Amino acid sequence: DLVMKGSLHSDELLAAITSKETGLRTSRRISHVFVMDVPSHSRTLFITDAAVNIAPDLMAKRDIIQNAIDLVHALQVREKKEVRVAILSAMETINPKLASTMEAAALCKMADRGQITGGLLDGPLALDNAISMRAGEIKGIRSEVAGRADILLVPDLEAGNMLAKNLSFLAQA
């Protein structure tokens, strides 16, 4: 079962979903996934979270990734056991001055330790490395995720919303 948002405002939908009496609350943080079919790209892209969590912290991102992995499995988009998750940043190396790179490293270690399951994570990855094998090769990135990402975890709502709308309006996704 899925909740689909039509032309109502997000806050109206979320009020009903998160209601303590009648909502769909679980122990995990609620999140949003854009499911994007980009004509020029061979894979369906799942972009998360670009509509609900404005500036998620590390533990919220853990929940956001797990929610997206569970969605891909529920939709049976990939026959293989693990889906590929690219944790996006502006660069593909860890830089303490850019929090999204540090969080990406921590999230990958959380997956190594079983705190995130059902997916193969890598990050930080820049968008080009996440969706283009050639871009990853040029930068010398050896990864099972680079160029083959199913899920793109964005650093924050602004980045995700801009990415999804760019794909919609410039790439006819």
Side-chain angles (χ1 to χ4, degrees):
D1 294 324
L2 295 173
V3 175
M4 300 290 288
K5 179 183 173 282
S7 62
L8 72 159
H9 289 279
S10 296
D11 58 341
E12 294 176 73
L13 178 65
L14 288 173
I17 289 172
T18 60
S19 166
K20 288 183 180 177
E21 294 79 33
T22 60
L24 302 174
R25 288 172 168 251
T26 68
S27 61
R28 251 191 256 149
R29 184 172 191 96
I30 194 169
S31 59
H32 175 273
V33 178
F34 273 106
V35 182
M36 307 292 289
D37 178 22
V38 184
S40 61
H41 191 65
S42 62
R43 304 173 86 86
T44 300
L45 293 175
F46 295 79
I47 300 170
T48 192
D49 177 341
V52 174
N53 293 285
I54 295 171
D57 63 15
L58 181 67
M59 295 311 287
K61 286 182 180 181
R62 190 218 74 86
D63 286 352
I64 291 166
I65 291 172
Q66 192 65 64
N67 290 342
I69 290 170
D70 291 351
L71 174 66
V72 173
H73 285 300
L75 295 176
Q76 299 178 343
V77 173
R78 295 283 170 256
E79 291 181 19
K80 61 186 175 281
K81 184 179 178 187
E82 293 186 320
V83 297
R84 293 178 173 102
V85 180
I87 304 166
L88 298 184
S89 185
M91 60 185 69
E92 54 283 328
T93 55
I94 297 169
N95 183 332
K97 294 179 181 178
L98 189 56
S100 60
T101 67
M102 300 293 287
E103 289 175 344
L107 290 162
C108 289
K109 185 50 72 176
M110 290 169 85
D112 290 346
R113 302 276 164 86
Q115 292 174 273
I116 301 170
T117 60
L120 180 62
L121 279 64
D122 196 6
L125 289 173
L127 179 62
D128 58 338
N129 312 136
I131 62 170
S132 167
M133 296 281 287
R134 183 74 182 124
E137 290 169 3
I138 289 169
K139 292 191 177 178
I141 297 171
R142 291 185 201 103
S143 166
E144 291 297 313
V145 175
R148 300 180 210 110
D150 301 303
I151 297 169
L152 304 176
L153 174 75
V154 296
D156 57 33
L157 183 141
E158 286 180 306
N161 196 277
M162 285 186 257
L163 173 58
K165 288 181 180 174
N166 270 301
L167 290 173
S168 291
F169 291 94
L170 296 176
Q172 290 71 51

